[in-house]
């Protein structure tokens, strides 16, 4: 059972509740209220013997007025006395001929921070397939900094389980965030507040989406402070992506500092994998290598954004060129972006002089290979940049492509 599919179902229900104005805007905690009602709706549509929807609603109409606060408090206290007790909804699972221990509501929203519940990190096969290209690139580009030979199978398979699971989990969360951003661009039911957030995205991301992964790594003695910092960077990037893409699609003002912060945060998954590899090998983090790779990651992300520019416009994805057009205008954006690229290249070349000559040579060779292969890869060729023609009217461009 894939966690991402459950989250998508939950998102659909939350959006429907918002669209039909079933939740009063005066609620003191709209995110918690939306979460509660969405869980209730999802529970009601679950099969339960021969009861149809009208029968279920009739039972609720009869039963709910009889429930009081003291009654619920009594139930809550009785459950807390027994560590083995499950939620009351589990008793209803008999209607579904189910033997799972977690309740129906727990199943539809696994990232909820429920009491007496431990959320287990899970990944789907599709996410693992899609994460493969990143893992291949990471192995070919980063293993050399750990003195690992990519041509030796044991160098890969020894660390593959942890690296693959981690990247696959992050990919699932990233895909979900992009789905929310895309819905915002096409004017669907996702509604943003004045702060660039919405109740639906808060429900999905306020409960620390990377915590289940962090808990798993902690049990394996792999969660370091640096890894946790990169998890925080990932959540910050997702928030900035939602904020910036929404602002751009609504022609609102964009802050350059936010854009530059986002492009630097975007490669947080590579840094997580790199830090995990240090931990797996029992070695101290090489700060010189981390600094060098950080600049390289920035250049790679810019190169990828230039390669994917048209697609990102269509899908309303974060793209540094899109953002620069929104800030500086279509005529000045390429020049302003070129300045940032030149500054990063100078830092890149300066730090490269401090690297071991053999390592420097190998990494340059890898960049050349990646550039020839094309696509979304870690290679970038210094001084040879191709900035595509900017799209000044994104709405017209999207309409023409439909």
């Amino acid at each position: 059972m894939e966690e991402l599919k459950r989250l998508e179902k939950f998102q659909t229900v939350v959006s429907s509740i918002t669209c039909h104005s079933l939740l009063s805007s005066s609620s003191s905690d709209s995110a918690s209220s939306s979460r509660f009602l969405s869980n209730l709706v999802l529970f009601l549509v679950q099969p339960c013997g021969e009861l149809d929807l009208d029968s279920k609603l009739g039972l609720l109409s009869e039963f709910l007025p009889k429930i009081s606060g003291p009654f619920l408090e009594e139930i809550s206290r009785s459950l807390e006395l027994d560590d083995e007790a499950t939620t009351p909804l589990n008793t209803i699972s008999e209607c579904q001929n189910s033997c799972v221990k977690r309740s129906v509501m727990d199943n539809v929203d696994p990232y909820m921070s429920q009491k007496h519940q431990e959320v287990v990190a899970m990944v789907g096969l599709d996410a693992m397939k899609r994460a493969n290209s990143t893992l291949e690139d990471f192995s070919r580009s980063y293993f050399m900094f750990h003195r690992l030979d990519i041509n030796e199978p044991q160098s890969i398979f020894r660390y593959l389980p942890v690296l693959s699971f981690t990247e696959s989990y992050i990919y699932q969360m990233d895909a979900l965030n992009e789905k929310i951003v895309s819905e915002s661009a096409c004017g669907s039911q996702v509604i943003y507040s004045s702060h660039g957030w919405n109740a639906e995205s808060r429900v999905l991301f306020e409960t620390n989406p990377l915590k289940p992964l962090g808990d798993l790594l902690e049990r394996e003695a792999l969660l370091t402070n640096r890894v946790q910092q990169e998890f925080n960077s990932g959540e910050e990037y997702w928030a900035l992506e939602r904020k910036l893409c929404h602002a751009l699609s609504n022609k609102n003002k964009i802050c350059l500092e936010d854009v530059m912060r986002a492009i630097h945060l975007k490669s947080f998954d590579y840094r997580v994998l790199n830090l995990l590899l240090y931990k797996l090998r029992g070695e101290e983090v090489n700060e010189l290598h981390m600094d060098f790779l950080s600049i390289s990651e920035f250049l790679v992300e810019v190169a990828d954004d230039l390669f994917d520019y048209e697609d990102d416009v269509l899908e309303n994805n974060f793209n540094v060129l899109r953002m620069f057009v929104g800030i500086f205008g279509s005529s000045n954006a390429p020049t302003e972006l070129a300045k940032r690229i030149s500054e990063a290249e100078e830092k890149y070349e300066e730090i490269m002089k401090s690297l071991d000559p053999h390592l420097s040579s190998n990494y340059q060779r890898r960049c050349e290979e990646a550039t020839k292969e094309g696509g979304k890869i870690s290679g970038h060729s210094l001084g040879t940049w191709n900035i595509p023609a900017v799209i000044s009217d994104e709405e017209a461009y999207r309409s023409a492509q439909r």
Side-chain angles (χ1 to χ4, degrees), residues 254-319:
I254 297 173
C255 176
L256 178 61
E257 288 75 14
D258 284 347
V259 174
M260 298 306 296
R261 175 70 175 164
I263 194 68
H264 281 287
L265 294 173
K266 195 174 180 181
S267 292
F268 79 95
D269 58 329
Y270 274 80
R271 292 187 288 276
V272 167
L273 296 179
N274 202 20
L275 291 168
L276 285 176
L277 196 50
Y278 279 114
K279 185 65 175 177
L280 286 165
R281 300 184 64 244
E283 293 194 358
E284 294 293 324
V285 175
N286 188 310
E287 298 299 341
L288 174 63
H289 291 174
M290 293 294 292
D291 290 344
F292 171 75
L293 289 170
S294 176
I295 299 174
S296 179
E297 288 157 1
F298 169 79
L299 292 169
V300 169
E301 291 295 353
V302 173
D304 286 347
D305 278 6
L306 296 180
F307 184 85
D308 290 336
Y309 175 61
E310 291 82 3
D311 290 338
D312 286 341
V313 170
L314 289 174
E315 298 172 9
N316 192 36
N317 290 335
F318 173 83
N319 183 289

Side-chain angles (χ1 to χ4, degrees), residues 3-229:
E3 307 289 349
L4 182 58
K5 290 183 179 179
R6 297 193 199 120
L7 286 172
E8 289 176 343
K9 289 181 181 179
F10 186 73
Q11 166 72 11
T12 299
V13 175
V14 175
S15 297
S16 297
I17 288 176
T18 302
C19 181
H20 290 84
S21 302
L22 299 182
L23 181 63
S24 172
S25 59
S26 61
S27 300
S28 59
D29 188 344
S30 60
S32 297
S33 300
S34 179
R35 178 193 309 138
F36 174 79
L37 290 178
S38 299
N39 276 328
L40 178 60
V41 170
L42 282 166
F43 173 69
L44 287 174
V45 299
Q46 296 295 319
C48 187
E50 297 181 358
L51 291 177
D52 58 18
L53 293 178
D54 289 335
S55 299
K56 294 176 183 177
L57 291 175
L59 285 172
L60 282 179
S61 298
E62 177 184 354
F63 182 62
L64 286 178
K66 301 176 182 179
I67 299 178
S68 65
F71 170 75
L72 293 178
E73 291 176 0
E74 178 184 344
I75 296 296
S76 179
R77 284 194 298 270
S78 66
L79 291 176
E80 290 177 352
L81 293 176
D82 185 1
D83 290 336
E84 299 300 321
T86 58
T87 64
L89 292 174
N90 279 350
T91 61
I92 305 175
S93 64
E94 295 175 2
C95 296
Q96 302 168 336
N97 297 319
S98 173
C99 60
V100 294
K101 293 185 178 179
R102 295 173 65 180
S103 72
V104 173
M105 288 190 180
D106 290 335
N107 283 339
V108 297
D109 190 11
Y111 293 99
M112 288 302 182
S113 197
Q114 301 281 3
K115 198 170 185 179
H116 305 310
Q117 171 184 318
E118 180 182 6
V119 179
V120 179
M122 300 175 66
V123 298
L125 179 60
D126 182 65
M128 294 181 69
K129 290 179 178 178
R130 293 176 179 270
N132 255 3
S133 60
T134 298
L135 290 169
E136 178 187 348
D137 177 46
F138 176 79
S139 301
R140 296 172 66 185
S141 303
Y142 286 63
F143 270 32
M144 66 182 70
F145 288 88
H146 297 265
R147 302 181 303 280
L148 296 174
D149 189 348
I150 188 64
N151 297 311
E152 294 181 0
Q154 61 267 33
S155 295
I156 299 176
F157 288 99
R158 182 182 305 167
Y159 309 112
L160 184 60
V162 170
L163 299 180
S164 178
F165 187 94
T166 298
E167 180 61 29
S168 299
Y169 185 95
I170 292 175
Y171 181 88
Q172 286 183 162
M173 293 297 98
D174 188 66
L176 181 59
N177 192 58
E178 287 189 352
K179 176 182 172 69
I180 295 174
V181 172
S182 179
E183 287 177 347
S184 139
C186 61
S188 66
Q189 298 154 341
V190 177
I191 302 173
Y192 279 77
S193 73
S194 60
H195 299 290
W197 280 82
N198 60 46
E200 294 86 344
S201 60
R202 266 203 294 276
V203 168
L204 295 171
F205 287 93
E206 71 178 355
T207 53
N208 196 344
L210 293 173
K211 186 178 186 303
L213 177 59
D215 290 342
L216 183 148
L217 294 176
E218 186 173 25
R219 288 193 295 271
E220 298 293 324
L222 294 173
L223 183 64
T224 65
N225 290 335
R226 292 282 291 272
V227 171
Q228 183 59 58
Q229 289 172 9

